[in-house]
């Protein structure tokens, strides 16, 4: 059982590494997450604000991974086969964009009193 768990973790880390290598937006979002974590360590934020920031970081990164999965799936269909493919990709990008913007706004509101 432990061996299966280790294998599952290895596959998950390989997937993350793949997304990190292939997606510039994911790398930028990881960089932003690192900046936020440094800010969390540097400033005396209450626990509830730290939890919110961690949840937002997770939301943005997970949604970017899901966006990458959708893009790769629909790329297999090619826009020439179905015009909806481009719309799906745009909608997924919009979802990541919205979560990123809202996360940035919340981050600014949380860190504003400290800078």
């Amino acid at each position: 059982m432990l061996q299966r768990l280790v294998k599952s973790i290895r596959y998950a880390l390989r997937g993350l590494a793949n997304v990190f290598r292939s997606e510039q937006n994911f790398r930028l979002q990881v960089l932003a997450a690192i900046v936020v974590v440094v800010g969390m360590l540097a400033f005396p934020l209450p626990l509830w604000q730290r939890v919110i920031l961690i949840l937002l970081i997770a939301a943005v990164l997970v949604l970017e991974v899901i966006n990458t999965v959708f893009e790769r799936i629909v790329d297999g269909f090619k826009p020439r086969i179905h015009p909806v493919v481009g719309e799906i990709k745009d909608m997924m990008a919009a979802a990541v964009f919205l979560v990123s913007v809202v996360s940035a706004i919340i981050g600014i509101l949380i860190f504003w009193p400290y800078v």
Side-chain angles (χ1 to χ4, degrees):
M1 186 159 96
L2 182 62
Q3 189 175 16
R4 285 178 31 199
L5 176 63
V6 170
K7 269 186 170 180
S8 294
I9 292 171
R10 190 177 316 130
Y11 294 145
L13 292 175
R14 187 171 60 194
L16 275 176
N18 189 322
V19 173
F20 188 84
R21 278 192 310 273
S22 65
E23 297 297 322
Q24 178 182 358
N25 286 342
F26 188 78
R27 290 191 299 273
L28 291 172
Q29 291 157 347
V30 167
L31 179 62
I34 291 168
V35 169
V36 170
V37 169
V38 168
M40 287 171 43
L41 296 172
F43 300 113
L45 301 176
L47 179 61
W48 68 271
Q49 288 181 336
R50 293 173 187 269
V51 169
I52 287 172
L53 291 170
I54 291 167
L55 288 171
L56 291 171
I57 289 169
V60 170
L61 294 178
V62 167
L63 201 51
E64 185 62 46
V65 171
I66 292 170
N67 179 45
T68 300
V69 169
F70 268 90
E71 282 187 1
R72 293 200 181 168
I73 289 171
V74 298
D75 280 346
F77 296 116
K78 304 287 184 210
R80 61 183 164 73
I81 295 176
H82 204 289
V84 174
V85 169
E87 291 176 11
I88 291 170
K89 291 174 78 168
D90 291 346
M91 289 177 204
M92 284 304 303
V96 175
F97 177 74
L98 287 173
V99 170
S100 298
V101 169
V102 170
S103 296
I105 291 168
I106 293 171
I108 289 167
L109 291 172
I110 288 174
F111 284 114
W112 187 259
Y114 301 97
V115 292

